[in-house]
């Protein structure tokens, strides 16, 4: 954490005590964004006046005794979450000009605890990417640790700004196959991706509805945990949401950590494996027991199962974008199919088209059972494999990514399949909806390597406690 | 998995179903890429799932009901606020026939 940056909890206490002005803090962070966003492009949408208007109103309320778990805390929102009255495009041209008339539940909950919304952070179009380079709205966000490299994706702007800012801040982000863990790893910040359903998806522009999870990033595990506790909970607007109760960080005695051998073996870069193992074994000094565990099916079939489900669901979810009701539109010409085709062909980017085509193919008559249904059955098997491992260990630990943040010049050379394969480590937990946290494990070539910790369904407390323990290890 | 040869004819059929019109350069680019990705999916062939039920939801939930009562909704003006294609309080769309 930067020296001058207070943790969220301390910051809120200072604001409540009147020692920090929420308005002055908001002004400073706005100045920082104005100064740096032209270069780093972490925000797709930012309006200083919108931020200061919230801060002024909040300042008055604080003087009248307003309380809140995020009192005066500036938060950034990934572009794919609806923020009332603020252009929200999910990184896509097809949502150009769309200003939601309501807040996503996660955003509304943060506001109700006194958070100040900064703006919308850059991402791959609808989350379709690992490096935040596949967008048709906004710019490619730059990694603050090395501007020639990716922030990771798809929540690249969220992680990039969390690493860059000198001020107290948390980021609300979203993960379908690793879109929180990957950028958090590449930018060296802490993150939490909860069990599917722990955070309501109401107001999320979905990528794949059985995989999407809203989570948080912060400079520390405690910051991301606090954010999660604010935005989580059962929501009548999302029938798949769960009442999980608050996640609590506690000191874990005799924690058992499993290292998945097949997954580790499939990471080609030995230096990344070694760095992660060094961090994992350092936990033994705190009484942790480290053992090898087996996840052969998740390692072998995770990517195929994930991408089949994700693309199939994406192709139906994106069917609603057609140049009517909201977003990008053209002059109404031709019959409806001609008009819809014209709008979609112009406004979707290359990766979105590729995934729509693959997903439509996998759901077509004659192929659906062999592809989509098979992947859904494979998911059952992969979830059961995780559960067996969690009957023996508390958490599983491994590198979040098999690579350090790549240079943009390296990303350009990747084929789509190579691009998808980079998600090797993050996809199994996401496919199986297991909660996972990331912390920095160390540095290679001055670039961060993230450690990913995964626990069984609804064990957010366990995964956050393990992450906090790892974070505290020197 | 059924071996589907991804040729131009199949690609255009899928694109039409997806309401996408592909340019010649997109067709040239996508054909080998889609074949490669679909080939990689066929890895699942070696996994026996004959005794498994599909996990359409990754965390099982049952019987999520609510009272059959209309709740609050956004106003007509708010619903229409994000488009220029509207008339007499309704959305206006392209012609149907």
């Amino acid at each position: 954490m930067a020296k001058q940056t207070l943790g969220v909890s301390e910051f809120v206490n200072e604001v409540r005590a009147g020692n920090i002005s929420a308005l002055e803090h908001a002004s400073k962070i706005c100045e920082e964004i104005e100064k740096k966003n032209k270069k780093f492009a972490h925000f797709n949408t930012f309006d200083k006046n919108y931020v200061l208007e919230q801060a002024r109103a909040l300042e008055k309320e604080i003087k009248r005794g307003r309380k809140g778990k995020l009192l005066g805390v500036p938060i950034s929102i990934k572009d794919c979450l609806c923020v009332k009255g603020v252009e929200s495009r999910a990184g896509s041209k097809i949502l150009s000009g769309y200003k939601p008339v309501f807040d996503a539940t996660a955003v509304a909950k943060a506001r109700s605890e006194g958070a100040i919304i900064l703006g919308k952070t850059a991402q791959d179009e609808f989350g379709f990417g690992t490096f935040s380079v596949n967008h048709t709205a906004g710019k490619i966000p730059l990694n603050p640790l090395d501007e020639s490299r990716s922030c990771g994706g798809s929540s690249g702007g969220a992680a990039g700004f969390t690493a860059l800012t000198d001020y107290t801040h948390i980021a609300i982000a979203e993960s379908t196959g690793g879109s929180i863990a990957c950028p958090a790893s590449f930018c060296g910040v802490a993150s939490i991706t909860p069990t599917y359903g722990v955070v309501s998806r109401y107001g999320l522009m979905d990528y794949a509805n059985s995989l999407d999870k809203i989570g948080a990033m912060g400079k520390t595990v405690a910051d991301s945990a606090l954010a999660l506790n604010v935005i989580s909970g059962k929501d009548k607007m999302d029938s798949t949401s769960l009442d999980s109760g608050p996640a609590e960080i506690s000191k874990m005695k005799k924690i058992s950590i499993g290292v998945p051998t097949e997954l580790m073996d499939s990471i080609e870069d030995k230096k990344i494996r070694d760095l992660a193992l060094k961090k994992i074994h350092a936990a033994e000094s705190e009484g942790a027991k480290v053992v090898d565990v087996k996840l052969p099916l998740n390692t072998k079939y995770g990517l195929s199962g994930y991408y089949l489900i994700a693309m199939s669901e994406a192709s139906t979810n994106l069917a609603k974008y057609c140049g009517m009701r909201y977003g990008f539109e053209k002059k109404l010409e031709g019959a409806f199919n001609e008009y819809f085709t014209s709008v979609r062909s112009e406004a979707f980017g290359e990766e979105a088209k590729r995934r729509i085509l693959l997903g439509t193919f996998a759901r077509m008559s004659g192929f659906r059972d062999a592809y989509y249904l098979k992947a859904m059955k494979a998911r059952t098997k992969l979830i059961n494999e995780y559960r067996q491992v969690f009957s023996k260990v508390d958490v599983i630990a491994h590198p979040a990514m098999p690579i350090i943040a790549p240079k943009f010049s390296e990303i350009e050379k990747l084929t789509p399949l190579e691009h998808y394969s980079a998600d090797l480590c993050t996809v199994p937990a996401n496919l199986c909806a297991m909660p996972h946290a990331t912390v920095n494990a160390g540095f290679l070539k001055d670039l961060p390597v993230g450690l990913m910790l995964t626990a069984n369904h609804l064990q957010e407390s366990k995964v956050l406690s393990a992450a906090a323990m790892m974070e505290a290890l020197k | 998995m059924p071996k589907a040869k991804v040729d131009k004819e199949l690609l255009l059929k899928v694109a039409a179903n997806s309401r996408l019109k592909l340019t010649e350069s997109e067709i040239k680019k996508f054909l080998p890429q889609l074949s490669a990705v679909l080939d990689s999916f066929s890895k699942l062939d070696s996994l026996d799932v004959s005794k498994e039920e599909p996990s359409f939801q990754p965390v099982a939930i049952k019987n999520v009901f609510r009272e059959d009562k209309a709740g609050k909704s956004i106003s007509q003006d708010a619903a229409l606020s994000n488009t220029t294609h509207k008339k007499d309080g309704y959305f206006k769309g392209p012609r149907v026939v």
Side-chain angles (χ1 to χ4, degrees), chain B residues 5-77:
Chain B
K5 186 175 178 292
V6 185
D7 55 18
K8 188 173 174 180
E9 189 185 349
L10 178 61
L11 178 59
L12 291 178
K13 185 181 168 189
V14 175
N17 285 345
S18 310
R19 305 294 182 267
L20 289 172
K21 187 177 182 185
L22 303 179
T23 63
E24 279 304 317
S25 70
E26 283 174 328
I27 292 167
K28 201 175 163 189
K29 194 178 215 178
F30 286 159
L31 269 174
Q33 290 176 346
L34 300 193
S35 292
V37 175
L38 289 171
D39 274 353
S40 78
F41 288 163
S42 65
K43 194 183 258 189
L44 279 178
D45 280 341
S46 61
L47 181 66
D48 179 13
V49 294
S50 56
K51 291 176 185 164
E52 306 294 341
E53 290 296 318
S55 286
F56 292 113
Q57 289 293 314
V59 181
I61 45 174
K62 278 184 185 172
N63 301 338
V64 182
F65 295 129
R66 66 168 175 83
E67 288 293 310
D68 188 18
K69 286 182 186 167
K72 276 187 182 174
S73 185
I74 58 171
S75 68
Q76 193 174 13
D77 282 348

Side-chain angles (χ1 to χ4, degrees), chain A residues 118-188:
Chain A
L118 288 175
K120 309 300 302 294
T121 49
Q123 62 166 97
D124 288 290
E125 185 175 18
F126 291 105
F128 300 153
T130 309
F131 305 114
S132 290
V133 294
N134 301 325
H135 66 89
T136 49
K139 290 181 180 171
I140 295 173
L142 308 185
N143 193 316
L145 287 91
D146 179 343
E147 296 151 24
S148 69
R149 292 175 188 269
S150 166
C151 284
S154 65
S155 311
F161 185 69
T162 303
L164 178 77
T165 183
D166 290 331
Y167 299 98
T168 302
H169 152 267
I170 48 176
I172 306 297
E174 180 276 338
S175 174
T176 307
S179 287
I180 292 177
C182 163
S185 172
F186 284 174
C187 295

Side-chain angles (χ1 to χ4, degrees), chain A residues 97-99 101 195-196 210 239-240 242 297 300-301 304 307-308 323-327 329-330 332 334-337 339-341 344-345 350 353-354 356-358 360-361 364 367 370-371 373-374 376-381 383 416-417 420 433 457, chain B residues 1-4 6 10-11 13-15 17-22 26 29-30 33-34 36-38 40-49 52-59 61 64 74 78-79 81-85 91-97:
Chain A
Y98 172 53
K99 291 185 176 176
V101 293
T195 309
Y196 175 86
S210 82
S239 60
T240 62
L242 304 167
L297 301 181
K300 186 171 181 183
Y301 301 109
S304 306
Y307 272 104
L308 262 170
M324 278 180 64
R325 305 186 303 276
Y326 49 80
E329 57 187 28
K330 299 173 77 169
L332 291 175
F336 70 99
N337 265 337
Y339 177 74
F340 296 162
T341 302
R344 289 164 61 81
S345 303
E350 185 179 307
K353 288 180 184 174
R354 197 159 25 237
I356 290 170
L357 291 168
L358 283 161
T360 304
F361 174 80
M364 268 169 59
F367 297 107
Y371 285 98
L373 197 60
K374 175 131 195 179
M376 284 296 186
K377 289 179 177 178
R379 172 151 72 173
T380 305
K381 204 152 187 167
I383 290 171
L417 198 55
Y420 305 156
H457 287 156
Chain B
M1 281 179 184
K3 290 286 174 202
V6 185
L10 178 61
L11 178 59
K13 185 181 168 189
V14 175
N17 285 345
S18 310
R19 305 294 182 267
L20 289 172
K21 187 177 182 185
L22 303 179
E26 283 174 328
K29 194 178 215 178
F30 286 159
Q33 290 176 346
L34 300 193
V37 175
L38 289 171
S40 78
F41 288 163
S42 65
K43 194 183 258 189
L44 279 178
D45 280 341
S46 61
L47 181 66
D48 179 13
V49 294
E52 306 294 341
E53 290 296 318
S55 286
F56 292 113
Q57 289 293 314
V59 181
I61 45 174
V64 182
I74 58 171
S81 65
N82 271 292
T83 183
T84 59
H85 296 322
F91 291 113
K92 189 178 171 188
R95 63 182 169 81
V96 178
V97 289

Side-chain angles (χ1 to χ4, degrees), chain A residues 227-301:
Chain A
L228 175 66
N229 281 335
V230 167
I231 63 176
S232 60
K234 178 79 181 162
D235 178 15
K236 66 179 180 180
M237 304 303 280
D238 175 3
S239 60
T240 62
S241 63
L242 304 167
D243 195 4
S244 59
E248 288 173 5
I249 295 177
S250 58
K251 192 163 171 61
M252 295 183 78
K253 288 177 187 168
K254 293 184 180 175
I255 183 176
S256 54
I257 303 171
V259 179
T261 50
E262 297 86 357
L263 191 66
M264 291 298 272
D265 290 345
S266 62
I267 297 169
E268 286 180 16
D269 192 333
K270 187 175 179 299
K271 287 178 185 166
I272 288 180
R273 291 200 309 262
D274 289 348
L275 200 71
L277 282 171
K278 189 179 166 194
K279 185 80 172 174
I280 294 166
H281 283 288
E284 289 169 332
S285 66
E286 296 292 309
K289 187 180 169 193
V290 179
V291 296
D292 284 346
V293 293
K294 301 269 180 199
L295 282 173
L297 301 181
N298 273 280
T299 306
K300 186 171 181 183
Y301 301 109

